[in-house]
Amino acid sequence: MLIWKNTSTFVEQTEEYMKRYYKLAAFCILVCGMLLPILSHSKEPSLSQTVEIKLKRLRDTVGISALVSDYSSQIQSSQILYRGRQAVKYSTVANGSNYWSDGRFMPGSIMYNKKHYDSVYMNIDAFAGNLEIKIANTDISLVLDPEKVEAFCIGKRPFIYMGSEQTLLPQGYYEVLYCGEVVLLKGVRKLLMSSVDNMNGTDGIGYDDPHYKMGLATYYKYLPYYYYLSGNEVKRLKRGRDILAFYPKERRAIKNYLHYKYNYATIDIERYIVEVASYAESLK
């Protein structure tokens, strides 16, 4: 048992310990006060900035000699890109296609698992929501892990995958229609439906099928979705003119511009929203 012989010594030591404690506490408060403003400004990028970052990474890695660019050599070296599961071949006979536009695989580039690949033949299964790549000189296609896909181009059309890193958009693949001060995205779903009254074309199954068969009730219905992104603001555009709500001051100038350019002709929603966003940005 510890007995203090000198009470004053105990008090003095206690006071010394308390002074040190208060100095340390004051120092911690000071440091936190200095770091808090810095940490508060180091925010995560907004949703529209995320789209821009993904596309920039894809563009910036094009042409780097250290990366594999030859399609056949990628297969021979067993790159991680070609380790996906084999895509399902649907046995259902139906008008239209389960793919985004049609069944053709087109060449492009992709940023996958933080690596860039060129001359990859790709297509999007809009029925299952999968990105597929074609193995050269075969009929085999593989499904890529979506969480490893950042961005890719099919031909000259840029696409991104919006996954679990965000909650503002439904997870899936999107075509980037416009990327400026705002971002315009397009998603596509294909639904397998059945109706004896289905027709070919935009007023029927939603698109033109060159191999459309009269009397075949089953078809893949085309359902496009359009989104407007500004920062973390997300708005689904059900009609072309919905985008005008974001430009109240420029609304009249935009309408006059479109009437003059297209001579009052009707234009599709895709072209309309891109024209509005680009022209509105030019006015600023």
Side-chain angles (χ1 to χ4, degrees):
M1 183 175 179
L2 179 63
I3 300 176
W4 288 89
K5 296 180 179 179
N6 190 337
T7 307
S8 61
T9 302
F10 171 76
V11 173
E12 288 174 359
Q13 289 186 357
T14 303
E15 289 177 347
E16 182 65 26
Y17 290 145
M18 291 301 294
K19 288 178 181 179
R20 291 179 183 178
Y21 171 80
Y22 285 126
K23 286 181 180 179
L24 179 61
F27 176 77
C28 291
I29 293 172
L30 177 63
V31 170
C32 290
M34 294 172 63
L35 289 178
L36 187 60
I38 298 173
L39 294 175
S40 64
H41 283 85
S42 58
K43 297 179 180 178
E44 290 293 320
S46 67
L47 197 61
S48 60
Q49 288 172 333
T50 299
V51 174
E52 187 175 354
I53 290 169
K54 289 186 176 186
L55 291 180
K56 187 176 185 300
R57 285 176 185 161
L58 179 66
R59 291 193 300 265
D60 288 350
T61 54
V62 173
I64 297 178
S65 58
L67 299 174
V68 180
S69 59
D70 181 71
Y71 188 75
S72 60
S73 65
Q74 290 176 22
I75 300 173
Q76 293 170 3
S77 58
S78 300
Q79 295 286 347
I80 194 171
L81 181 66
Y82 299 93
R83 297 177 190 171
R85 60 182 172 84
Q86 189 167 335
V88 175
K89 299 294 183 183
Y90 302 111
S91 58
T92 305
V93 179
N95 279 319
S97 169
N98 58 292
Y99 289 102
W100 186 287
S101 51
D102 56 41
R104 294 177 298 170
F105 281 70
M106 303 295 290
S109 59
I110 182 170
M111 195 71 181
Y112 185 74
N113 199 34
K114 300 180 180 179
K115 293 184 180 180
H116 183 271
Y117 299 86
D118 281 324
S119 304
V120 181
Y121 280 73
M122 295 174 282
N123 205 343
I124 300 173
D125 181 347
F127 176 67
N130 294 326
L131 175 60
E132 298 180 10
I133 60 170
K134 180 75 76 175
I135 300 297
N137 304 318
T138 73
D139 292 328
I140 299 173
S141 57
L142 303 177
V143 176
L144 297 183
D145 180 352
E147 294 296 337
K148 294 179 180 177
V149 176
E150 283 193 57
F152 57 98
C153 285
I154 299 180
K156 294 183 179 180
R157 297 161 58 195
F159 293 82
I160 58 167
Y161 178 75
M162 300 304 288
S164 56
E165 79 277 6
Q166 55 82 45
T167 57
L168 298 175
L169 280 170
Q171 292 186 26
Y173 293 102
Y174 293 90
E175 182 178 359
V176 183
L177 300 177
Y178 182 80
C179 187
E181 291 185 357
V182 303
V183 172
L184 299 176
L185 299 179
K186 175 186 178 181
V188 169
R189 289 185 62 198
K190 290 284 187 75
L191 298 180
L192 188 60
M193 305 183 72
S194 181
S195 171
V196 293
D197 298 325
N198 76 76
M199 301 180 298
N200 197 18
T202 54
D203 294 330
I205 64 175
Y207 53 104
D208 288 312
D209 177 10
H211 307 293
Y212 184 85
K213 298 176 182 178
M214 295 293 294
L216 181 58
T218 308
Y219 64 98
Y220 286 101
K221 178 70 175 179
Y222 173 81
L223 298 172
Y225 299 88
Y226 300 94
Y227 292 93
Y228 169 97
L229 278 63
S230 178
N232 282 322
E233 181 182 12
V234 178
K235 172 70 174 179
R236 183 180 166 191
L237 305 174
K238 295 182 179 180
R239 301 167 299 177
R241 63 176 179 269
D242 289 347
I243 195 174
L244 294 174
F246 299 101
Y247 304 104
K249 295 180 180 179
E250 301 89 349
R251 187 185 187 102
R252 177 170 293 182
I254 291 170
K255 284 188 172 183
N256 291 337
Y257 164 76
L258 292 176
H259 290 160
Y260 175 79
K261 183 173 181 177
Y262 293 98
N263 196 24
Y264 292 88
T266 301
I267 57 177
D268 62 78
I269 181 174
E270 226 165 281
R271 187 183 301 178
Y272 185 91
I273 60 177
V274 171
E275 286 278 15
V276 169
S278 59
Y279 184 68
E281 190 169 321
S282 72
L283 295 176
K284 296 181 179 180

